[in-house]
Amino acid sequence: MLEDYFVKPDTVDRIRASWIGPQIEQYVIWLADRGYGARCVWRRVPLLVAFGEFARLQGARSLADLPGHVDAFVAKRAGESRDARRGIGQILAKEIRGPVEQLLELVVAGFEGTGRPYHAIPFAGLVPGFFEYLTSERGLRPASVTCYRHHLDRFEAYLQRVGVAGLGELSPALLSAFVAERTGAGLAKTTVREGCGVLRVFLRYAHREGLVRGDLWKAVEWPQACRLSTIPRVDLLGGRRQGPCRRGSPHAVREAGLRDLAAAGDLWPSRPRGRGADPG
């Protein structure tokens, strides 16, 4: 796996020569399986090799000894960087600590990092197999699956907040209330539409598996996104600049009719075209 990211054999040999080389290669495989890019691997692997060497010099002889050297390594690495002198040492420390603790969570049993807590897969108990369905049957990429997980996380948290324990308690009114809450939270309409699409796919799968009654997915209606609704309009007759028109309003209908007439050439009455006439 290392050869897929590092072209020079000397680089691969240097990584594998580290006393935690097998664990680093295991971590690279873990990153690749989750869709991490090559730049991420190039940035993290040298950092982990340096951590292994630092821990060895400090007396670490087994994987169980590594967690005790994380804080000292982060402090040393961040202190040596020029970014620490620019006042962003805390951000740099997080960037150093993250990959190190991620590696330790993978190879040291029982280790828990200090980063963000792990969130379980949403609806894993109520609708098992949904995320496997997304990858195996629908062929979605890891980034798309992450998007599904994000939106379903919000839906699961909403159900817990309103006291809904199972999918059998879902109703069109409840789904509409969830969409209205997301819309009122100030999110972009495209984000709300994306979440509604995720919810429809989720409910269709749950219906297919017999976990919900009725076609609840049809009750999820997303808001219309008018991409040009914020552009200031101009009165075609008076040339006055006005505010954005509201879709479906009388002004919008009137302007649509005027645009159609202008396009057809029938907006202005025809004039005789003779000698001396105004070329209208």
Side-chain angles (χ1 to χ4, degrees), residues 26-166:
Q26 178 184 350
Y27 178 64
V28 171
I29 296 174
W30 185 87
L31 292 175
D33 290 341
R34 281 152 184 79
Y36 284 80
R39 291 183 179 273
C40 176
V41 176
W42 296 336
R43 185 173 62 252
R44 295 188 179 193
V45 167
L47 176 68
L48 297 176
V49 172
F51 169 67
E53 182 62 17
F54 174 84
R56 185 186 67 83
L57 294 176
Q58 297 299 316
R61 294 296 179 266
S62 65
L63 296 178
D65 299 333
L66 291 176
H69 300 282
V70 174
D71 292 338
F73 174 74
V74 172
K76 177 179 180 297
R77 190 86 173 186
E80 294 174 349
S81 173
R82 290 178 296 179
D83 293 333
R85 295 189 289 271
R86 296 173 184 169
I88 56 175
Q90 292 183 349
I91 299 176
L92 179 62
K94 290 182 179 180
E95 294 178 352
I96 297 172
R97 182 182 297 274
V100 173
E101 291 189 343
Q102 204 171 41
L103 169 70
L104 297 183
E105 287 178 347
L106 182 64
V107 302
V108 178
F111 177 81
E112 294 184 3
T114 58
R116 291 178 296 179
Y118 173 77
H119 293 287
I121 296 177
F123 297 102
L126 296 177
V127 189
F130 174 68
F131 286 91
E132 182 180 354
Y133 154 78
L134 293 178
T135 55
S136 60
E137 294 190 32
R138 295 179 67 93
L140 297 188
R141 298 176 299 174
S144 300
V145 175
T146 301
C147 176
Y148 271 76
R149 184 168 177 172
H150 167 79
H151 289 291
L152 291 179
D153 246 346
R154 303 303 182 270
F155 183 53
E156 185 180 49
Y158 173 80
L159 295 183
Q160 292 174 355
R161 191 170 67 253
V162 300
V164 175

Side-chain angles (χ1 to χ4, degrees), residues 255-267:
E255 288 191 0
L258 291 174
R259 284 195 299 270
D260 293 341
L261 289 173
D266 297 333
L267 181 58

Side-chain angles (χ1 to χ4, degrees), residues 138-220:
R138 295 179 67 93
L140 297 188
R141 298 176 299 174
S144 300
V145 175
T146 301
C147 176
Y148 271 76
R149 184 168 177 172
H150 167 79
H151 289 291
L152 291 179
D153 246 346
R154 303 303 182 270
F155 183 53
E156 185 180 49
Y158 173 80
L159 295 183
Q160 292 174 355
R161 191 170 67 253
V162 300
V164 175
L167 298 182
E169 302 178 35
L170 294 180
S171 65
L174 185 65
L175 297 175
S176 298
F178 170 70
V179 175
E181 180 181 284
R182 298 290 285 167
T183 304
L187 300 175
K189 289 184 178 180
T190 52
T191 302
V192 179
R193 286 172 59 87
E194 183 180 82
C196 291
V198 168
L199 191 55
R200 286 169 68 93
V201 173
F202 173 73
L203 292 175
R204 289 183 67 177
Y205 175 81
H207 176 66
R208 189 188 80 171
E209 298 297 314
L211 301 174
V212 296
R213 293 173 295 179
D215 296 336
L216 285 176
W217 60 273
K218 294 181 179 179
V220 181

